[in-house]
Amino acid sequence: FDNHFVLPNLGPIGSNGLANARDFQTPIAWFEKLETNFKIILKFHGNLYESEQDHSCFNVVAWHGNYVPYKYNLKNFMAINTVSFDHADPSIFTVLTCPSMKPGTAIADFVIFPPRWNVAEHTFRPPCYHRNCMSEFVGNILDTSNEKQKVQAGGCSLHNLMAPHGPNKGVFESGVDDELKPSRIPDGNISFMFESSLGLSLTDWAWNSEKKENDYHKSWLLLEDNYSKIKN
């Protein structure tokens, strides 16, 4: 779909914030002479292929150019957040983006929701009920301490573009009833999201998995019609 992942433009944020270039690590030149059986696995067109060789695949000294593997510690992410009111767009948590040819539209955004402070006032802090023109694939990396949400590590959800979604009844009620004082998104909680302007599909394994929550839509059946209670 063209392009590669790059750091997002910081705009009004300035020169520092979100993921900083200095925190990305690339390997140094290294050579390994090891003669034993190695298994090489390659994914191609959705299928896995396997081959064997009698020497290490790391028997190289270096590479030439600037297209190199890298790693990044998500704990180094400098979160930008709302400090007055309203619920900001999740793009403020973008680690890397793969922009499309249309400005402001991404082929894929890699976003994380790290430990941080919530301080917004006069605001419904959870994400509002919405549908948008981006597909959202959300996953939990570390267990959350929010018992009302009950999201386990390794769990994920997919809301394709224009599919309506939002918090379940427990999260909604806490967003309405809890006192709006500074609260901490706990250090033991981190999740990620891939956003894309393209529609996403599931593998056969995901469709047929015993782990799939077939009654996921029931998360919203307990929500009440609060609009009808409003008096003119």
Side-chain angles (χ1 to χ4, degrees), residues 50-133:
E50 178 183 303
S51 63
E52 294 186 354
Q53 62 185 40
D54 59 2
H55 57 277
S56 171
C57 57
F58 300 109
N59 60 345
V60 293
V61 176
W63 54 80
H64 183 70
N66 57 9
Y67 196 56
V68 297
Y70 58 84
K71 67 179 182 180
Y72 173 74
N73 188 342
L74 296 180
K75 292 182 178 180
N76 292 327
F77 186 81
M78 178 183 164
I80 304 296
N81 209 347
T82 304
V83 296
S84 55
F85 63 91
D86 213 344
H87 181 90
D89 188 273
S91 61
I92 61 174
F93 300 114
T94 301
V95 180
L96 295 168
T97 181
C98 179
S100 69
M101 298 302 292
K102 184 178 180 181
T105 303
I107 296 172
D109 284 335
F110 173 56
V111 178
I112 65 166
F113 304 108
R116 61 195 185 280
W117 283 98
N118 265 348
V119 296
E121 297 179 308
H122 310 295
T123 292
F124 180 71
R125 288 182 177 177
C128 58
Y129 297 95
H130 65 286
R131 66 176 78 199
N132 53 28
C133 58

Side-chain angles (χ1 to χ4, degrees), residues 144-165:
T144 176
S145 60
N146 186 349
E147 294 297 330
K148 296 178 181 178
Q149 195 165 3
K150 297 182 179 179
V151 179
Q152 297 180 349
C156 56
S157 64
L158 170 63
H159 300 100
N160 259 317
L161 61 168
M162 301 310 295
H165 56 285

Side-chain angles (χ1 to χ4, degrees), residues 13-49:
I13 297 174
S15 59
N16 301 299
L18 307 184
N20 292 306
R22 66 174 180 266
D23 292 322
F24 285 80
Q25 297 178 292
T26 57
I28 60 175
W30 184 67
F31 176 84
E32 179 181 74
K33 181 176 174 58
L34 190 62
E35 295 180 357
T36 185
N37 290 330
F38 280 84
K39 186 178 295 184
I40 311 299
I41 299 176
L42 173 70
K43 186 174 183 180
F44 181 70
H45 283 189
N47 296 310
L48 295 176
Y49 298 87

Side-chain angles (χ1 to χ4, degrees), residues 212-225:
K212 187 177 69 171
E213 189 177 353
N214 292 313
D215 58 352
Y216 177 62
H217 63 285
K218 295 181 180 179
S219 300
W220 299 284
L221 294 182
L222 296 176
L223 291 168
E224 299 179 6
D225 177 11

